[in-house]
Amino acid sequence: MAREKGGSSMKSVMQTMGIVSVVVLVLAIVISTLMVKKVPSKIAKSMSEHMEDDEDVRAFMDKMRSDERMKDAVDQFETFVRDLGAGYSKDKGRRPGQDLKTTRTASMPVVVLPGITSSMLEIWEGRDCSSYNFREKYWGSAQCARAALRNLTCWLEHLSLTPAWTDPEGIKIRVTEGYNSMDYLMPGYVVWGKVFENLADVGYDSRSLKVFSYDWRLPATTLESEDGLFSRIMYEIEFLHRRNKERVAILAHSMGCNLAFYFLNWVANERGPEWLEKYVGAWVNIAGAHLGVPKAVSCSVSGETRDTIDVGRIAQQFTGGKLNNELLRFFRSLGSVPVMLPKGDSSIWPDTEYHGLNFPMDVKKRLAEVFSADDASESKAYSPQLRAQLEKTVSRNYTVPEMVDVLDELAPDYMSRVRSMFSLGTKLNPDNSDQRTWSNPFEKALPFTDKTQKVYCLYGYSSDNLTERGYHYVPNTKTPEFFTEIPLILDTDSSDKRLNQGIAYGEGDGTVPLVRTNDVSRASATLPCSMFDQNQTSS
């Protein structure tokens, strides 16, 4: 994306910053919301002193700290606030781009596809409960937190899609476009802002750097049919190539990587691989979940992940409300979640204890107690079909590749819709016109034919067990009124020390697990790129 002054090409240089957890982000937004009437334009500067002086803020923090399971998140947040107050977010040190510009100049024009967090959404039409202002930011800003805190059910209702993955009646949520849609999530929480600034240091500007936010709720097919996303990217790449006389580099992050892979296969089908050879010189894949993530299953089974458990606790402490089954309905309404379902077999996802979807030894006894209580009730709510299906489902544990089987059993209508749009196969599919395979690297090889086309994969990594890998479920006795819809929930009360609120963790970047396999040649042949750790095992 940049070249040495004098003409020789540069090796990719990229610095990445660790981002605090979603829990810390939610805490920050909540505190910002509490303070907004008092310091509407100076949150970043004044947050630190208000942590000490504002009674509402202190009361909220004390309430959160009283929950033992939230204590670490509160401590982490207070560290974040101290750093923010000290000017950490402004990063007064010298930027890498300032050093590079003495020897580098802009080379390949760049097209950016961001992840979910940095694809901002805004409201164009809403129902009465939203009290919306036209084009108010409904996702990806502090404004969205205020909307959620005003009425959490209403906020989820507006972000949710219909079972056909379209807008509900009377609601229009649309993507916010342009650089401002992905610079900063909130004061002090940088997303793409510093990347843009450093690229500008070496000579990039709006004539050579283009961004494409997108409605991350939609499946890729709808992003093209309704928003023309991939057509617009294709035409923009052609224009950048014509203007800059260089092939284009695609820079993608997280969900944007899945869409980038889909786009490459889409355009190869539309224009042929020779189009890619002419117009695309590199693809930089940052934290792409091409093999999926286990949490995509848990959020579709019960509406729960580590983030929703913690955020739910915050919402309950702050608003006195419960999420109940609303999150499950929300996740299943999203046409983008299925692209994150785990792909591959046991050669990619080893059968490691506590990874996958598991049940405690006494799960059948617990389930029998639920049904016994139902038998004793005047109006029996649980059908024989539901009972038989649950007894079958809990009769065994499931490895990561088998986790999707649970969804097939518990939500057949949902999975029928998923499989009509997405393929989860593990073998190359010769039918290049099958759109269901275009986001699956097992079924579609990367359509680069020129050896000079490069793929760079960048992932954060922590050897600490911070990434969700497995889930332990029990019958839902906490909200029996929703048992028919959510019969299984995470075992958040488990005393097993290998679990944290029913979740087993492993190595990874916090979202994407580190995948190890002894079948290196198979992984190298089917994945967009392979990386190797110091022990030379594929990941």
Side-chain angles (χ1 to χ4, degrees):
M1 292 181 293
R3 67 158 65 92
E4 291 186 20
K5 290 185 176 179
S8 62
S9 63
M10 169 188 116
K11 292 182 179 179
S12 293
V13 177
M14 181 158 284
Q15 289 192 347
T16 58
M17 285 184 58
I19 300 179
V20 292
S21 69
V22 171
V23 176
V24 177
L25 168 62
V26 173
L27 283 167
I29 293 175
V30 168
I31 301 301
S32 301
T33 304
L34 285 169
M35 294 164 51
V36 72
K37 292 182 179 178
K38 300 176 182 179
V39 284
S41 63
K42 300 180 181 179
I43 292 174
K45 243 183 226 182
S46 307
M47 191 181 286
S48 184
E49 64 182 68
H50 278 266
M51 285 286 296
E52 299 298 328
D53 301 336
D54 192 293
E55 292 182 4
D56 291 337
V57 172
R58 289 313 315 166
F60 174 74
M61 297 299 288
D62 290 343
K63 199 171 186 180
M64 292 304 303
R65 189 178 280 104
S66 65
D67 188 327
E68 187 65 28
R69 292 171 293 187
M70 294 303 298
K71 192 173 181 180
D72 289 344
V74 173
D75 291 341
Q76 190 181 10
F77 171 69
E78 290 187 332
T79 299
F80 167 75
V81 170
R82 285 194 298 270
D83 290 340
L84 188 62
Y88 172 82
S89 66
K90 296 188 178 298
D91 192 8
K92 298 177 181 177
R94 190 169 179 82
R95 297 188 300 273
Q98 291 174 311
D99 294 327
L100 287 171
K101 70 179 182 181
T102 60
T103 56
R104 316 290 185 188
T105 58
S107 176
M108 286 183 177
V110 174
V111 163
V112 175
L113 273 168
I116 290 175
T117 302
S118 45
S119 283
M120 191 178 291
L121 302 178
E122 59 192 32
I123 186 168
W124 283 64
E125 181 181 355
R127 294 175 179 167
D128 292 342
C129 66
S130 67
S131 303
Y132 82 98
N133 295 315
F134 181 64
R135 294 193 62 221
E136 181 179 24
K137 302 304 177 280
Y138 229 63
W139 175 265
S141 72
Q143 283 181 328
C144 80
R146 291 194 285 276
L149 290 170
R150 279 198 305 262
N151 189 329
L152 184 59
T153 299
C154 181
W155 182 68
L156 287 173
E157 178 184 334
H158 279 69
L159 283 180
S160 298
L161 300 172
T162 69
W165 294 327
T166 58
D167 289 319
E169 184 70 27
I171 295 174
K172 282 186 182 179
I173 300 292
R174 295 293 182 262
V175 66
T176 303
E177 298 183 345
Y179 303 101
N180 290 338
S181 69
M182 60 180 77
D183 281 345
Y184 298 88
L185 185 61
M186 57 170 286
Y189 195 112
V190 181
V191 187
W192 282 93
K194 290 188 179 182
V195 176
F196 295 156
E197 192 171 10
N198 280 276
L199 287 174
D201 286 333
V202 297
Y204 283 92
D205 56 27
S206 58
R207 296 174 179 174
S208 54
L209 172 64
K210 298 295 182 181
V211 299
F212 286 89
S213 297
Y214 53 90
D215 189 337
W216 49 266
R217 305 170 303 157
L218 299 174
T221 50
T222 306
L223 285 172
E224 173 58 23
S225 63
E226 296 298 319
D227 296 346
L229 176 67
F230 303 119
S231 293
R232 289 187 290 120
I233 293 174
M234 179 180 69
Y235 294 136
E236 190 64 64
I237 287 176
E238 290 176 346
F239 173 76
L240 288 170
H241 176 270
R242 184 166 64 251
R243 190 187 189 288
N244 294 276
K245 313 301 181 187
E246 292 266 12
R247 290 193 295 185
V248 173
I250 298 174
L251 179 58
H253 172 243
S254 190
M255 176 71 79
C257 297
N258 297 79
L259 289 179
F261 188 65
Y262 185 97
F263 165 75
L264 295 173
N265 282 290
W266 175 87
V267 78
N269 184 70
E270 289 285 319
R271 299 294 178 89
E274 57 274 12
W275 186 94
L276 289 169
E277 184 176 337
K278 178 178 180 180
Y279 291 108
V280 178
W283 172 26
V284 182
N285 168 82
I286 306 172
H290 295 286
L291 296 182
V293 290
K295 67 194 300 183
V297 177
S298 69
C299 74
S300 302
V301 168
S302 61
E304 296 172 297
T305 67
R306 174 189 62 188
D307 302 329
T308 63
I309 289 172
D310 289 335
V311 170
R313 186 172 296 111
I314 293 172
Q316 187 170 359
Q317 293 280 6
F318 186 63
T319 67
K322 293 182 179 180
L323 294 183
N324 293 330
N325 62 337
E326 294 166 3
L327 279 172
L328 177 61
R329 292 175 180 172
F330 168 68
F331 283 123
R332 287 189 185 174
S333 82
L334 301 180
S336 54
V337 167
V339 79
M340 307 294 281
L341 292 172
K343 305 174 186 70
D345 53 29
S346 58
S347 67
I348 299 296
W349 301 92
D351 185 9
T352 305
E353 186 182 18
Y354 276 62
H355 289 181
L357 196 153
N358 305 280
F359 301 100
M361 295 291 291
D362 65 345
V363 65
K364 291 184 178 180
K365 178 183 176 182
R366 297 193 194 190
L367 192 61
E369 291 173 352
V370 172
F371 292 149
S372 295
D374 185 54
D375 290 336
S377 65
E378 293 184 5
S379 57
K380 296 179 177 59
Y382 311 142
S383 69
Q385 293 84 356
L386 176 62
R387 296 184 182 207
Q389 185 57 70
L390 283 173
E391 288 170 354
K392 176 186 174 183
T393 299
V394 304
S395 64
R396 68 183 183 95
N397 293 327
Y398 300 79
T399 63
V400 173
E402 295 171 338
M403 290 176 74
V404 176
D405 296 345
V406 177
L407 282 172
D408 283 323
E409 295 170 2
L410 297 183
D413 292 341
Y414 169 69
M415 286 306 294
S416 176
R417 187 167 77 250
V418 167
R419 292 186 185 279
S420 71
M421 301 284 283
F422 301 89
S423 178
L424 303 175
T426 58
K427 296 181 180 179
L428 284 173
N429 187 331
D431 182 3
N432 291 327
S433 65
D434 188 352
Q435 299 180 38
R436 298 176 308 141
T437 67
W438 289 350
S439 57
N440 185 343
F442 284 106
E443 297 189 86
K444 280 290 167 284
L446 184 67
F448 281 0
T449 56
D450 186 346
K451 291 184 179 180
T452 64
Q453 291 173 300
K454 303 297 183 183
V455 179
Y456 302 92
C457 286
L458 304 173
Y459 287 82
Y461 169 72
S462 172
S463 58
D464 296 330
N465 292 334
L466 300 173
T467 305
E468 295 171 61
R469 294 296 298 265
Y471 304 86
H472 280 234
Y473 275 90
V474 293
N476 179 10
T477 57
K478 293 188 176 181
T479 53
E481 66 272 27
F482 298 122
F483 185 87
T484 301
E485 188 169 1
I486 312 178
L488 301 173
I489 60 173
L490 287 177
D491 188 7
T492 56
D493 298 323
S494 173
S495 59
D496 192 327
K497 293 183 179 179
R498 290 171 292 185
L499 300 173
N500 185 346
Q501 300 182 77
I503 301 175
Y505 293 88
E507 297 171 286
D509 70 356
T511 297
V512 180
L514 175 67
V515 177
R516 299 183 183 276
T517 174
N518 294 322
D519 193 355
V520 174
S521 60
R522 181 167 179 267
S524 300
T526 57
L527 303 183
C529 58
S530 294
M531 295 158 295
F532 301 89
D533 64 20
Q534 294 176 350
N535 297 317
Q536 296 300 303
T537 55
S538 176
S539 64

